[in-house]
Amino acid sequence: MNIQEVSLRLRRREISSVELVRQALDRIERDSSRLNSFLTIRAEAALERARRLDEELAAGGARSPLHGIPVAVKDVFCTRGVRTTCGSLLFADYVPDHDAAVVERLEAAGAVIVGKTGMHELAYGITSNNPHFGAVRNPWNPEHVPGGSSGGSGAAVAAGEVFLAMGSDTGGSIRIPAAWCGCAGLKPTTGRVSRYGVMPLDFTLDHMGPLTRSVRDAAIGLNVLAGHDPRDPTSSRRPVDDYLPPPEVSLRGIRIGVPENFFFERLDPEAAGAARRMIELAGELGGDLVPVTVPDIAELNTLARVILLAEAAAVMSPYLSDRSKFGPDVLALLDQGRMISAADYINAQRLRRIAWKEFAGVWGKADCLLTPTTPIPAPRIGQTQTELGGAVEDVRLAATRYVRAVNLLGLPALSMPCGFSSTGLPLGLQIIGKPFEEALILRIGAALEDATDFHRREPPLE
Amino acid sequence: MKDFRLLAQALDLGIPDSERERLVAPLEALEASFRPLLARLELETEPAYLLILAEEDPR
């Protein structure tokens, strides 16, 4: 079931929020040793809240389609009175005195937060193989990573533990786990969803968004999450849309941009084939397929990496006196960041302005871009290199190759399931849109989802 | 090309010798891809620390 279906059943009194929350807690317990998707579980508080929401529903009505629905938030979102670790020993005992804006909005909408999901240490990596809290595992094959940094959120949604889990995305950290776990993941436009109360990795590139079982569920999530927040200096005052696509969606008249360069180079043939088939499907559904040459994405990735290395090192520099508190991969990145000069950082930000202007030219030709989300399916836990096109490549750099530049440009992007590898691992399609065009990319995603069944398949849980 | 080994030493960042070596290759690769991009900068190009998408979000 997805959020739309279960919300209807709640309103018809065919099921209660208490029953849904109990089911979620049972599944989390069932999967805990196999997947390790949660760092903190709020069983009693969630059940008590579900009881109140059931009473509220009986007395009046639903606050939103999320009323009474069990959800989770990555352990990067501050929760008042509840430990928020950021997947780090530094914050192992940190109990915030405030809620993140995202938590406030979910709770105001009637969602029930059952716990905090596991993640890559400090949200700085793509495996969620956490040296302090254990590796999060992929529900499709627990010997493989779920992606990251929001790996616990991807695993929890894919395993059917919760209907929605919040993630953060600095260089693909929502879209990569969505692709590798076989669910939908939405990184909104810069400023669309408040970052207030989220432990930062990078001030320029951080974005917050939902991971869900379907594209329409991601739209329901964004309807709750989007909006201005004066506590976040990047928050947009632009009015929000209704993001939920209608039941019948046509792609007629939509210019579907098909990249002619970069996005189909050096990738697993199965990942390429799955994305190509979805592009063909978009054409069959009425979309106008438009070949597009995009600006040099490798250059944009370079700028994003310079900015991320420098900003993350700045954020963490007060804590680096005790190196024993960091895992080796994160520590290496923080050390690299401290070697970036101030002049190089500023020049990367200057080049970012040029990049944004150049990339705007793409939108004169197309309304969106369809690309693979990642060049590879989920690697094995502990795997650090992959071979693509005859060349050996660092797994982290390969995984972020198609997603990182989107953060630099501030664009909205959706990852949705588009097939499976011959080894049974999910593959993702990325739909990139113009700034604040979340409604359009969700509409395109819904049309493709309605014509396929990848999102309805369930991992083989034991 | 910058000498990142010497730079790490000179900056006195408390990075042990054994860990310093592993920083060099990724930084050299990044430097090699980043340095040529600087030629694209014009004197007046402003940084974009906060990307306010001005055309879409006038304020």
Side-chain angles (χ1 to χ4, degrees), chain A residues 24 94 200 228 292 321 343 351 391 394 415 423 445 448:
Chain A
Y94 172 53
H228 178 63
V292 177
S321 54
L351 287 159
D394 177 273
S415 180
T423 54
L448 294 169

Side-chain angles (χ1 to χ4, degrees), chain A residues 189 234-238 299 302 309 323 338-339 344 346-347 349-353 356 358, chain B residues 2 4 13 19 30 33-35 37 40-43 45-49 51 53 56-57 59:
Chain A
T189 310
T234 64
S235 180
S236 171
R237 289 185 175 80
R238 186 183 171 100
E299 290 184 3
T302 294
L309 284 171
R323 298 172 67 83
R338 293 195 292 166
M339 309 278 279
D344 284 348
I346 291 167
N347 283 332
Q349 289 283 14
R350 296 172 75 204
L351 287 159
R352 180 182 182 227
R353 186 175 294 280
W356 188 78
E358 286 179 354
Chain B
K2 287 178 186 170
F4 287 102
L13 297 173
E19 295 177 31
L30 186 62
S33 56
F34 177 65
R35 197 59 48 196
L37 304 182
R40 304 184 62 200
L41 285 169
E42 294 179 4
L43 190 61
T45 308
E46 293 269 352
Y49 298 118
L51 179 60
L53 300 172
E56 289 75 25
D57 187 25
R59 57 175 157 167

Side-chain angles (χ1 to χ4, degrees), chain A residues 58 80 144 202 236 281 308 314 318 343 378 400 462:
Chain A
R80 189 175 56 230
H144 290 249
D202 180 292
S236 171
L281 179 59
L308 173 56
T400 55
E462 290 160 358

